[in-house]
Amino acid sequence: MNTPITVQYKINAPIDKIWEALTDKNEMKSWYFDIKDFELEVGKIFNFYEPGGENKYHHQGEILEILPNQKLKHTWSYPDFSDLKTTVTWELQPEDNGTLVKLTHEEIENFKELGEGFSRENFTGGWNSIVGQSLKEYLEK
């Protein structure tokens, strides 16, 4: 079953402020991950590790699509564990004095052989925490 994970939250901030938080590596490290090699350009590859300094999980992404202030789409993979990739899409829409932020993570089943740490439940919880708490609190402060 290839059902994407979808999380969405209304954030009380203008689209351009949210876009900057999603695409500026200096902003990202305040609420998301420290992605030193992130460049907002289709085809660019970026790498990062989970916070905390353990560096157990090398994450890698490649930017697939950019629609400024609307959509950012990139791959999401763990090259140390698997050659398979998934796709993450961030979409922004204006909504009642704020912005609806929708995140869709597709092909999550590609990671099912990697164990419990890569389960649908873990990703769903992680994205809800990242979008619904970290990003929301960062932008609404």
Side-chain angles (χ1 to χ4, degrees), residues 16-60:
D16 58 334
K17 189 174 176 187
I18 295 173
W19 182 255
E20 190 172 341
L22 290 177
T23 59
D24 180 317
K25 63 184 172 188
N26 295 317
E27 296 252 348
M28 279 189 239
K29 66 183 172 188
S30 298
W31 67 273
Y32 190 40
F33 296 103
D34 187 7
I35 309 176
K36 293 177 176 34
D37 60 351
F38 184 87
E39 288 182 58
L40 187 61
E41 186 179 319
V42 171
K44 290 289 185 182
I45 292 174
F46 57 93
N47 300 274
F48 62 97
Y49 290 91
E50 73 285 357
E54 285 187 48
N55 293 356
K56 281 174 42 180
Y57 300 106
H58 172 207
H59 300 66
Q60 188 172 74

Side-chain angles (χ1 to χ4, degrees), residues 40-91:
L40 187 61
E41 186 179 319
V42 171
K44 290 289 185 182
I45 292 174
F46 57 93
N47 300 274
F48 62 97
Y49 290 91
E50 73 285 357
E54 285 187 48
N55 293 356
K56 281 174 42 180
Y57 300 106
H58 172 207
H59 300 66
Q60 188 172 74
E62 178 182 351
I63 298 179
L64 302 173
E65 184 179 359
I66 302 166
L67 292 172
N69 293 327
Q70 292 176 45
K71 183 189 220 178
L72 175 63
K73 184 175 187 175
H74 59 81
T75 62
W76 181 281
S77 64
Y78 299 94
D80 297 346
F81 296 96
S82 173
D83 291 334
L84 298 176
K85 297 178 181 182
T86 61
T87 306
V88 172
T89 305
W90 297 84
E91 295 175 280

Side-chain angles (χ1 to χ4, degrees), residues 7 9 11 21-22 28 30-33 48 50-51 59 76 78 88 90 101 103 105 122-139:
V7 297
Y9 289 88
I11 296 180
L22 290 177
M28 279 189 239
S30 298
W31 67 273
Y32 190 40
F33 296 103
F48 62 97
E50 73 285 357
H59 300 66
W76 181 281
Y78 299 94
V88 172
W90 297 84
V101 177
L103 178 134
H105 195 162
N122 272 13
F123 277 104
T124 301
W127 287 125
N128 275 295
S129 175
I130 286 169
V131 179
Q133 293 177 331
S134 299
L135 179 63
K136 188 171 173 63
E137 289 171 10
Y138 176 68
L139 289 164

Side-chain angles (χ1 to χ4, degrees), residues 102-121:
K102 179 180 173 186
L103 178 134
T104 307
H105 195 162
E106 300 173 273
E107 297 109 20
I108 200 71
E109 291 77 11
N110 287 348
F111 296 152
K112 71 176 183 264
E113 306 299 322
L114 301 181
E116 190 59 35
F118 300 89
S119 69
R120 167 178 286 281
E121 292 72 28

